[in-house]
Amino acid sequence: MREHEVVVDAAGRPSAILYPDVFNVAVPFIDRHLAEGWGGKTAIVFDDTGETVSYGQLAERVNRCGNLLWTLAGESGGRVLLVVKDCPEFFYLFWGAIKAGLVPVPLNTLLRAGDYRHIIEDSGCAGLVYSPEYRGEVAQALAGASHQPTFVLCAEGPDSATGLAGMMDESSAVLAPAPASPDSECFWLYSSGSTGRPKGAVHRQRDIVTTCVRYAADTLGVTGDDVCFSAAKLFFAYGLGNAMTFPLWAGATAVLSGQRPAPEMTFGVMERRRPTLFFGVPTLYAAQLWALDENPAYLDCLASLRCCVSAGEALPADLFRRWRERAGTLILDGIGSTEALHIFISNTAADCRPGTSGRPVPGYEARIVDEAGQPVTPPSSGNDGEVGRLFIRGDSTAVRYWNNPERTAETMTGGGWLNTGDTYYQDADGYYVYCGRSDDMLKVGGIWCSPVEIEGRLIEHPQVLEAAVVGRADADQLIKPEAFVVLKNASDAGDALADELLEHCKTGLARYKYPRWVNFVEDLPKTATGKVQRYRLRSG
Ligand code: 3UK
């Protein structure tokens, strides 16, 4: 098989990615490093056990696992569901499946039996592999499911006949890549969404390469010297790139932890494994700052970082500033999605505007359109552009949802344009500013009002930990903002603080945007991936 080729322009930036007709993406990500003489380099450090895996060991285990999965599945193109925590086996399973011509489907390990059952039935999977931690939910899902996979395997544990390690040992260490093409279907990711059943986004072989060339290498500058640590888990498209495809593409090292990403865990991993790149979500950065205040010794753990990345939800400018002051690094906010596979609009170290998502990653196009699908007025002579719906186009977007032509038509809208479901505008300098999900936006007094902006103002208040804002109809049935606030100290709640927060909003925002109601709550409803579910806060 001929190698892929990244064509660069005169400035050394990627202008095109060329592929041979026959292309299996496991070859450049796994086998290439052996051919280039890097077999001895460390690919994975597993923090839970201290185990390290070299690129040579990785290639051999991917082959063994691919042979095993192929033998068990007995069909080409069969889906293999992975309910697997972050650990080296995740790599063997994901790449082994792809190399053998099967379709890996990493699943959120925080789901419950009912969700797994839906996915087992929806995918018509050939196999399911799970980490022992999730045995209970998986068993319950299988017991009730109308479809039964051909094989079910535990990813860890004693070398018994049902365990992965023992069965891999008995499988051949030689595996020729299954013939595929750059456009053939490669893996799926179920997107959680805040509403409705999860939908399987179908990604092609080339999609992974695109995110690595365009975002990881060109935007973030990941090289073989980097050590990547992601608090976002591998089952999430964000984590899959951060902690697996990006380091593998660059010949770098991935640090994995099977533990829950609380501040203590992330600081501990940083202290032991010295990552250069850290990938988190805004809520975690906020909690880490809080922990740094409590325990300043944590600061030493951050010394190896050259840069941090945030995605999943908008990073408030205040959090960006506090982190830069306290931790001394930038947090590059970028927006990505399961359907786009990774980040497509981003800040960079050289061009960073706090409170915005940055500019389109080179290789992606963005369009902001009105409800009729027409481009909104762009920014001009010092004025912001109009607010509208964000569509993007790029060579990593999912081709369809499995088994769901209606949602496919709504989201993959033709001509390669993906409807992100997000509301954005471009500021006067062209930076893209997130205003909320298209369906979370409020019209207050006839003017678009972003819950995210009000939340950003609320959390600037020193007593506020988290906030969510939704629309609530007032006595005239006009929509006005209502705030749900989590305090750092719940005992501070009271009318005096509520009044103070209103004043804080009125002084910091256009006046019509202040919340008309403030509710103090213990926590906010969130999806399994940590996004606030505003729709659950809306009344009536
Ligand atoms: C929201 C953001 C504002 C936005 C993801 C990086 O989050 C990821 O994928 P999901 O499918 O959700 C996608 C939706 O999340 N969002 C993501 N990033 C930002 N909103 N600022 C941001 N920086 O609504 C988007 O449509 O769970 C993130 C890489 C890969 C991903 N899958």
Side-chain angles (χ1 to χ4, degrees), residues 189 191-193 236-239 242 282 310-315 333-345 356-357 420-422 424 434 436-437 529 531:
L189 290 171
S191 101
S192 53
F236 192 43
Y238 182 41
N242 304 338
S310 175
E313 56 184 317
L315 179 74
D333 186 13
I335 176 175
S337 74
T338 306
E339 290 77 5
L341 190 55
H342 216 276
I343 289 174
F344 49 81
I345 295 179
T356 80
S357 307
T420 65
D422 294 303
Y424 263 84
Y434 178 75
R437 294 289 302 171
T529 50
K531 272 192 248 307

Side-chain angles (χ1 to χ4, degrees), residues 153-366:
L153 195 60
C154 183
E156 234 185 88
D159 293 3
S160 66
T162 54
L164 181 64
M167 294 175 87
M168 274 171 59
D169 281 346
E170 285 163 19
S171 302
S172 166
V174 181
L175 173 62
S181 85
D183 287 319
S184 54
E185 297 184 356
C186 182
F187 67 107
W188 302 358
L189 290 171
Y190 274 85
S191 101
S192 53
S194 319
T195 51
R197 286 283 196 186
K199 322 170 283 289
V202 177
H203 279 288
R204 303 162 299 173
Q205 304 268 336
R206 70 193 307 150
D207 297 353
I208 312 183
V209 179
T210 300
T211 58
C212 292
V213 171
R214 300 299 189 177
Y215 176 71
D218 192 31
T219 303
L220 210 50
V222 181
T223 72
D225 295 332
D226 277 311
V227 177
C228 302
F229 173 42
S230 174
K233 298 295 181 191
L234 292 167
F235 64 73
F236 192 43
Y238 182 41
L240 192 81
N242 304 338
M244 188 170 75
T245 65
F246 296 175
L248 290 181
W249 180 255
T253 299
V255 174
L256 302 180
S257 167
Q259 311 302 309
R260 235 176 54 79
E264 302 70 36
M265 176 285 246
T266 57
F267 290 140
V269 172
M270 288 179 196
E271 187 179 20
R272 288 185 290 277
R273 313 298 170 193
R274 297 280 150 204
T276 57
L277 290 168
F278 176 69
F279 302 83
V281 296
T283 310
L284 177 62
Y285 287 113
Q288 285 175 323
L289 278 172
W290 190 235
L292 278 171
D293 280 344
E294 299 277 291
N295 186 353
Y298 279 142
L299 210 51
D300 295 339
C301 306
L302 306 175
S304 58
L305 296 176
R306 73 170 171 88
C307 188
C308 295
V309 173
S310 175
E313 56 184 317
L315 179 74
D318 185 60
L319 204 47
F320 172 94
R321 291 197 189 97
R322 285 192 284 141
W323 183 267
R324 191 174 50 183
E325 262 166 42
R326 200 84 177 78
T329 69
L330 299 176
I331 304 179
L332 301 179
D333 186 13
I335 176 175
S337 74
T338 306
E339 290 77 5
L341 190 55
H342 216 276
I343 289 174
F344 49 81
I345 295 179
S346 183
N347 288 283
T348 70
D351 184 16
C352 187
R353 169 75 55 102
T356 80
S357 307
R359 303 179 190 276
V361 169
Y364 292 88
E365 297 166 84

